[in-house]
Amino acid sequence: MLDVQKIRKDFPILNREVNGKPLVYLDNAATSQTPKQVIDVIVDYYQNYNANIHRGVHFLSQEATDKYEQARQKIQKHFNAKKSHEIIFTSGTTHGINLVANGFSSILKKGDEILVSAMEHHSNIVPWQMLAERTGALLKVIPMNEEGELVMDAFHDLLGAKTKLVFCNHISNALGTINPIKEIIESAHTVGAAVLIDGAQAAPHIQADVQALDVDFYTVSAHKMCGPTGVGVLYGKEEWLNKLPPYQGGGEMIAEVTFEKTTYAELPHKFEAGTPNICGGIAFGAALDYMNSIGFQKIAAYEHELLKYATEELLSIEGLRIYGTAQEKTSVISFNIEGVHPYDIGTILDKLGIAVRTGHHCAQPIMDFYKIPGTVRASFCFYNTKEEVDALVEGVKRARNMLL
Amino acid sequence: MAIKEIQEEIVDEFSMFDDWMQRYEYMIELGKSLPLIDEQYKTEDNIIKGCQSKVWVHAELDNEKLVFTADSDAIITKGIIAILIRAFSNQKPQDIIDADTAFIDEIGLKEHLSPTRANGLVSMIKQLKLYAVAYQTQLN
Ligand SMILES: Cc1ncc(COP(=O)(O)O)c(C=O)c1O
């Protein structure tokens, strides 16, 4: 069993007070907090070996390059990619998705079809809409049901010879649903379509094995898994990454430049134009080390307990409805109270030191599906406690009494 | 009453509360009790999109004074709107243009008027002032 009190000591921010109350941080799906083991790595980088990488002859540059490449290998190992150059450093999930969408604009033709799930984050909708506009391809939506699960029969019906790409998140940030990505990937491959899985919400909870999944692209953000903001990775199968044109031009990504012609660098540098977030990449590696030192199995088991407890307790509140009641889900609870605007609940909870997110969670199509303006979303991390769940439940009750 | 005096009156009222709970309860009361806008004006055109809570504003000139009505789908936002309307409605356009909103800070609701808060209130105040400018031009 995981020792949550010991773990909490690793996160200095959890000792903060907000509005005179101890902070109860339940907005982990937006961004997770950073343990001191990762903060130390960030400080160490700037204090001891800050230098530009891959280009210097000097000692510090070599040291920074080594650490950065070690981080890439850690990430490769964590996601079980076959090769380290299949791991492309990005600024986050959004960047990874745009990189792939941009690459496919030279591959897709008019009339080709792109399937996207009904429960996507805006960052996994807009780039495909832009791609569809540029190429004349058609965007089709895999529908979801009341529980917030994808309707797999409909998916199989949509899939056809024209389907070239399928996009879906591994876990929905607004509902917590764990999507059946293995089935999606396998089926998509039978018609020759490539699959991109948005792993932003899954990576903090589930250790994805990209080879076992046989996924073509998988993209994550470090800041949702105890790492810093502004860094993430895109995993891509080597054959796909070789097929896609570079996304941005600049230093690092070239082999040779003359004014007549530039030849591109090998993977992964072809997709890593300009000076990257060096410190961020190294700290991402440290964040993975940290999470692995606790263990993803333990994390999943503990979070499952918290989810179960919080779901039961919240449902005891009169008029409370949870959106996203899938069989398979992670520690995200989206809810509303009948007759109360989510923004009002969030405001009162904030006064009580409880951080939740309110609104459409960048997934407006889901809100339209349920015909609501938004929800209150509490999302849990392995450092949250049952006492914090109790504080949330008390807070929601209090808000309800004030607002109704 | 002049805008400044009304604002002082509101500050006085709020100084009776000793904690945030009471202030919020009062605002929620204000939000619940006031019929703020005529349904016919709750149109898409009059909506100020504040991301999370919707705010509607309507303005009318009555005897050289500008009368505002407004509403929101979130009750706390509506309570603050009630306070703002009390301070700014039924005033001469030029006075509205010249008025400031520092009193919101004094009554402990500053956080609601932060430009990055997604409740539409900042855009609402901007809209009130824009109406005042437009009607002032008309009067000139
Ligand atoms: C499912 C999902 N996809 C994509 C993103 C975007 O991630 P980032 O802002 O780090 O690029 C998020 C973050 O909120 C998310 O939850």
Side-chain angles (χ1 to χ4, degrees):
Chain A
M1 200 53 195
L2 162 159
D3 184 351
V4 68
Q5 289 312 329
K6 181 164 162 271
I7 285 170
R8 287 180 73 81
K9 294 205 178 79
D10 294 335
F11 292 83
I13 207 170
L14 298 179
N15 294 321
R16 264 203 74 164
E17 286 200 345
V18 168
N19 288 322
K21 308 270 177 356
L23 167 68
V24 175
Y25 187 78
L26 302 178
D27 194 18
N28 295 288
T31 202
S32 56
Q33 296 304 343
T34 319
K36 65 177 190 298
Q37 288 84 339
V38 174
I39 298 171
D40 288 347
V41 166
I42 295 169
V43 172
D44 182 42
Y45 171 81
Y46 283 109
Q47 281 186 349
N48 294 309
Y49 60 97
N50 175 29
N52 212 327
I53 53 170
H54 294 142
R55 47 182 87 165
V57 290
H58 60 82
F59 186 88
L60 287 192
S61 171
Q62 193 54 51
E63 189 173 343
T65 306
D66 288 347
K67 290 260 171 58
Y68 192 66
E69 290 308 321
Q70 279 163 16
R72 193 193 303 275
Q73 282 161 13
K74 274 181 200 169
I75 298 164
Q76 173 206 354
K77 201 164 146 248
H78 180 80
F79 292 105
N80 193 31
K82 207 183 279 173
K83 302 186 174 135
S84 71
H85 60 243
E86 292 176 320
I87 300 293
I88 311 292
F89 276 114
T90 61
S91 67
T93 304
T94 305
H95 178 191
I97 294 170
N98 277 283
L99 190 160
V100 177
N102 180 73
F104 269 90
S105 62
S106 62
I107 294 176
L108 290 190
K109 293 189 194 62
K110 196 163 185 275
D112 284 345
E113 292 178 0
I114 306 171
L115 300 189
V116 53
S117 97
M119 58 176 89
E120 293 309 303
H121 189 279
H122 293 165
S123 74
N124 208 10
I125 300 176
V126 184
W128 311 122
Q129 278 173 337
M130 289 162 60
L131 173 63
E133 251 165 48
R134 276 202 303 271
T135 59
L138 279 173
L139 199 63
K140 297 203 163 176
V141 180
I142 312 163
M144 65 177 218
N145 63 22
E146 274 294 308
E147 283 72 43
E149 294 165 324
L150 290 179
V151 182
M152 292 305 282
D153 287 347
F155 163 68
H156 292 294
D157 288 346
L158 284 170
L159 209 55
K162 288 185 180 159
T163 314
K164 291 293 175 310
L165 279 167
V166 178
F167 304 108
C168 180
N169 51 37
H170 192 167
I171 291 178
S172 152
N173 64 307
L175 304 170
T177 310
I178 306 177
N179 287 311
I181 58 166
K182 184 115 177 81
E183 181 182 343
I184 290 172
I185 295 163
E186 268 172 24
S187 307
H189 285 169
T190 62
V191 299
V195 182
L196 179 141
I197 299 293
D198 170 351
Q201 290 298 334
H205 309 288
I206 300 172
Q207 186 171 9
D209 178 331
V210 292
Q211 288 191 71
L213 286 168
D214 196 26
V215 66
D216 303 293
F217 302 97
Y218 195 89
T219 171
V220 304
S221 300
H223 70 92
K224 294 188 198 281
M225 37 195 324
C226 300
T229 57
V231 65
V233 297
L234 167 72
Y235 159 80
K237 274 187 193 160
E238 183 177 31
E239 52 183 297
W240 272 116
L241 292 177
N242 279 331
K243 250 183 250 173
L244 298 188
Y247 179 38
Q248 290 172 325
E252 287 265 345
M253 51 79 71
I254 40 83
E256 217 174 333
V257 180
T258 65
F259 279 106
E260 287 71 42
K261 187 173 168 53
T262 293
T263 48
Y264 302 124
E266 296 285 302
L267 291 174
H269 308 294
K270 169 181 157 189
F271 290 108
E272 294 182 351
T275 302
N277 184 347
I278 303 166
C279 175
I282 296 168
F284 187 7
L288 280 182
D289 284 345
Y290 179 79
M291 290 192 73
N292 280 313
S293 76
I294 297 170
F296 274 76
Q297 300 263 340
K298 276 193 188 166
I299 288 173
Y302 179 77
E303 288 176 345
H304 186 75
E305 277 296 300
L306 269 188
L307 174 70
K308 204 165 135 241
Y309 180 67
T311 304
E312 281 163 11
E313 293 295 308
L314 281 170
L315 283 176
S316 74
I317 299 172
E318 205 186 322
L320 187 141
R321 168 167 179 197
I322 290 177
Y323 299 89
T325 47
Q327 283 295 322
E328 299 290 327
K329 80 177 265 195
T330 44
S331 48
V332 168
I333 303 183
S334 245
F335 66 91
N336 270 332
I337 289 182
E338 209 185 331
V340 182
H341 197 283
Y343 184 78
D344 287 324
I345 300 178
T347 303
I348 303 284
L349 290 178
D350 175 52
K351 283 278 159 197
L352 295 166
I354 303 168
V356 293
R357 175 131 181 219
T358 65
H360 55 54
H361 319 297
C362 299
Q364 217 149 4
I366 298 182
M367 304 304 136
D368 292 346
F369 176 87
Y370 290 114
K371 300 190 175 58
I372 48 176
T375 68
V376 182
R377 182 188 70 185
S379 50
F380 306 94
C381 186
F382 56 82
Y383 47 65
N384 288 124
T385 63
K386 283 196 172 175
E387 290 71 33
E388 289 181 311
V389 172
D390 293 339
L392 170 71
V393 172
E394 276 314 301
V396 173
K397 281 184 184 160
R398 198 154 159 193
R400 182 179 179 279
N401 287 340
M402 285 175 78
L403 293 161
L404 272 181
Chain B
M1 244 196 289
I3 295 181
K4 193 83 203 140
E5 286 164 21
I6 300 174
Q7 292 187 350
E8 278 162 15
E9 198 178 83
I10 297 171
V11 172
D12 266 358
E13 271 170 38
F14 271 80
S15 67
M16 296 186 312
F17 304 129
D18 7 272
D19 66 5
W20 71 269
M21 273 280 279
Q22 292 176 347
R23 281 203 297 276
Y24 273 67
E25 268 162 1
Y26 182 59
M27 267 191 325
I28 292 163
E29 274 323 299
L30 288 177
K32 280 183 195 165
S33 59
L34 285 184
L36 294 171
I37 198 170
D38 200 296
E39 276 303 316
Q40 63 168 316
Y41 298 125
K42 266 171 109 164
T43 58
E44 276 298 312
D45 276 352
N46 282 340
I47 221 172
I48 295 171
K49 286 225 168 81
C51 199
Q52 295 206 14
S53 54
K54 286 183 188 160
V55 174
W56 293 265
V57 180
H58 172 71
E60 248 171 39
L61 203 58
D62 178 20
N63 247 335
E64 305 210 337
K65 286 185 173 170
L66 203 48
V67 177
F68 293 116
T69 45
D71 200 357
S72 171
D73 56 351
I75 198 91
I76 296 172
T77 308
K78 201 167 157 182
I80 300 174
I81 289 174
I83 295 167
L84 289 172
I85 296 259
R86 189 167 141 203
F88 294 108
S89 187
N90 222 353
Q91 298 288 343
K92 294 208 178 88
Q94 190 58 50
D95 293 343
I96 298 168
I97 296 168
D98 297 337
D100 76 8
T101 54
F103 77 108
I104 291 290
D105 197 352
E106 288 176 52
I107 60 179
L109 299 176
K110 179 179 162 206
E111 73 240 38
H112 291 280
L113 289 188
S114 144
T116 51
R117 190 140 183 138
N119 60 7
L121 282 170
V122 172
S123 316
M124 173 183 160
I125 292 177
K126 207 184 277 167
Q127 192 64 33
L128 298 186
K129 296 230 175 198
L130 275 176
Y131 274 126
V133 171
Y135 280 105
Q136 185 60 44
T137 326
Q138 201 178 313
L139 286 175
N140 286 343

